């Protein structure tokens, strides 16, 4: 199978649409040998800022000497952006090999309700790749929502929720509280959860879910003053909130993943994440800002 054939196979799966639920992802992962059981994760959900927060966490832990997998979506230019190790995109030959394996599992597996979707297959592909690459840690971004998102088959070291606003109402609910319920679905029993959610309705849902699951909850209100002394590589005041969240996650996990302050500083200063208030200066001096914000 060539890379172009692999990508065609994946995109052809989009004919099955989007299916919220964990059954297919769990079944496909089991057929692949449950690679998620050999990995450690930080699971990130929320409405805005997921990708930026993931990029900051990845940079910090990579600066600390960890081999870090990064799973994000969607991609901007190349499919390979979705699956990275130490910020190196998965190679075309690896994509072809992984897709060939996934195709065999899909065709030979028992999926009674519906065939696996594009995102379900890509999620298990990423798990397989990260396990084979011997990643020390995977920064793991949800695709849509959280509770029924294919990424929710993992048990992370920490659950992270950036914020809750109206988005994808067709699938997640018409109110902030309903959407928060879906995002809070990544909270696991006894696993710390850290959030910058500020909407009272969202916070109520997150707090209730954390209490029900005995998950220690940290709520960051406003922009953490402790981030003032750090230089952030991404433009915009909102990125300081994301940086404060990343810093709080690092501190919450310092016993199992110790990180020196120098690594935190390097990770935040050098972070790059395309399409987020990205500044482009043309030859004539005109400055353009590229931003992929998708909701108000």
């Amino acid at each position: 199978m060539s890379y172009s054939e692999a990508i065609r196979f994946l995109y052809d799966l989009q004919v099955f649409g989007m299916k919220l639920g964990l059954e297919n992802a769990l079944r496909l992962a089991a057929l692949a040998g449950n690679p998620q059981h050999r990995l450690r994760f930080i699971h990130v959900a929320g409405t805005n800022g997921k990708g930026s927060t993931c990029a900051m966490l990845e940079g910090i832990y990579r600066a600390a000497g960890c081999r870090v997998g990064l799973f994000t979506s969607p991609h901007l230019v190349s499919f390979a952006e979705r699956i990275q190790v130490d910020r190196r995109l998965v190679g075309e030959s690896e994509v072809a090999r992984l897709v060939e394996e996934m195709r065999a599992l899909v065709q030979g597996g028992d999926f009674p309700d519906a065939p696996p979707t594009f995102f379900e297959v890509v999620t298990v592909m990423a798990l397989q790749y990260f396990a084979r690459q011997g990643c020390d840690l995977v920064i793991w971004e949800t695709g849509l929502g959280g509770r029924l998102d294919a990424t929710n088959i993992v048990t992370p070291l920490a659950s992270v929720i950036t914020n809750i606003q109206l988005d994808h109402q067709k699938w997640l609910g018409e109110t902030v509280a309903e959407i928060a319920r879906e995002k809070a679905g990544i909270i696991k029993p006894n696993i710390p959860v850290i959030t910058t959610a500020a909407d009272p309705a969202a916070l109520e849902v997150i707090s209730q879910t954390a209490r029900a699951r005995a998950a220690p909850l940290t709520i960051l209100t406003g922009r953490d003053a402790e981030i003032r002394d750090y230089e952030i590589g991404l433009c915009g005041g909102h990125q300081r909130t994301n940086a404060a969240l990343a810093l709080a996650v690092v501190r919450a996990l310092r016993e199992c993943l110790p990180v020196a302050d120098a690594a935190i500083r390097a990770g935040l200063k050098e972070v790059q994440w395309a399409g987020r208030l990205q500044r482009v200066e043309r030859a004539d001096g005109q400055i353009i800002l590229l931003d992929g914000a998708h909701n108000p």
Side-chain angles (χ1 to χ4, degrees):
M1 176 180 281
S2 68
Y3 176 73
S4 60
E5 289 171 335
I7 295 299
R8 190 178 311 118
F9 170 80
L10 290 175
Y11 287 168
D12 284 348
L13 293 175
Q14 293 178 331
V15 72
F16 301 120
M18 185 184 67
K19 177 179 175 292
L20 292 177
L22 305 182
E23 296 83 3
N24 276 359
L26 285 167
R27 187 171 285 113
L28 190 57
L31 291 171
N34 285 316
Q36 71 275 20
H37 294 167
R38 308 197 298 273
L39 294 162
R40 298 188 295 181
F41 300 88
I42 296 174
H43 200 183
V44 182
T47 301
N48 304 109
K50 296 190 301 294
S52 298
T53 302
C54 284
M56 292 177 189
L57 286 167
E58 189 280 337
I60 290 169
Y61 283 110
R62 179 162 43 87
C66 294
R67 185 166 176 79
V68 188
L70 178 64
F71 182 67
T72 59
S73 61
H75 60 272
L76 294 181
V77 179
S78 166
F79 168 82
E81 296 168 27
R82 294 170 178 258
I83 304 172
Q84 304 182 36
V85 173
D86 288 345
R87 290 311 296 266
R88 290 192 295 273
L89 278 58
V90 59
E92 292 187 356
S93 61
E94 285 292 339
V95 171
R97 181 161 46 249
L98 288 163
V99 170
E100 195 159 20
E101 293 175 14
M102 291 299 114
R103 182 173 66 176
L105 295 179
V106 168
Q107 293 174 347
D110 178 22
F111 299 94
D113 295 332
T117 64
F118 168 87
F119 190 72
E120 289 167 340
V121 170
V122 172
T123 297
V124 178
M125 271 179 58
L127 292 171
Q128 193 79 293
Y129 183 67
F130 293 143
R132 289 175 180 171
Q133 288 290 311
C135 290
D136 302 309
L137 178 67
V138 176
I139 311 301
W140 191 241
E141 182 190 15
T142 59
L144 184 70
R147 181 175 65 93
L148 299 176
D149 187 79
T151 63
N152 205 26
I153 65 173
V154 311
T155 299
L157 299 176
S159 304
V160 182
I161 301 174
T162 57
N163 59 42
I164 309 293
Q165 297 177 25
L166 294 177
D167 74 330
H168 302 301
Q169 290 99 309
K170 178 180 177 181
W171 296 283
L172 302 182
E174 294 296 332
T175 68
V176 168
E178 289 174 335
I179 293 172
R181 193 165 293 109
E182 296 302 316
K183 310 278 189 185
I186 70 167
I187 298 174
K188 302 294 192 302
N190 304 305
I191 301 296
V193 54
I194 304 98
T195 185
T196 49
D199 187 285
L203 278 177
E204 177 64 22
V205 171
I206 292 170
S207 298
Q208 287 178 353
T209 305
R211 283 195 299 271
R213 298 176 188 172
L217 173 62
T218 299
I219 300 171
L220 299 183
T221 56
R223 293 171 189 163
D224 191 335
E226 295 182 20
I227 209 69
R228 291 176 184 166
D229 295 333
Y230 292 87
E231 184 177 347
I232 315 299
L234 299 178
C235 296
H238 60 290
Q239 294 293 5
R240 303 200 72 80
T241 299
N242 294 330
L245 180 57
L247 178 61
V249 173
V250 169
R251 289 179 172 170
L253 297 179
R254 58 183 174 269
E255 289 188 10
C256 62
L257 289 171
V259 176
D261 186 65
I264 296 173
R265 291 186 180 280
L268 293 178
K269 180 180 180 179
E270 297 168 13
V271 62
Q272 296 182 9
W273 201 232
R276 277 71 175 180
L277 280 183
Q278 182 177 352
R279 185 179 186 273
V280 177
E281 186 169 352
R282 296 169 53 129
D284 62 3
Q286 182 185 28
I287 293 173
I288 300 172
L289 290 177
L290 304 179
D291 193 80
H294 69 287
N295 69 344

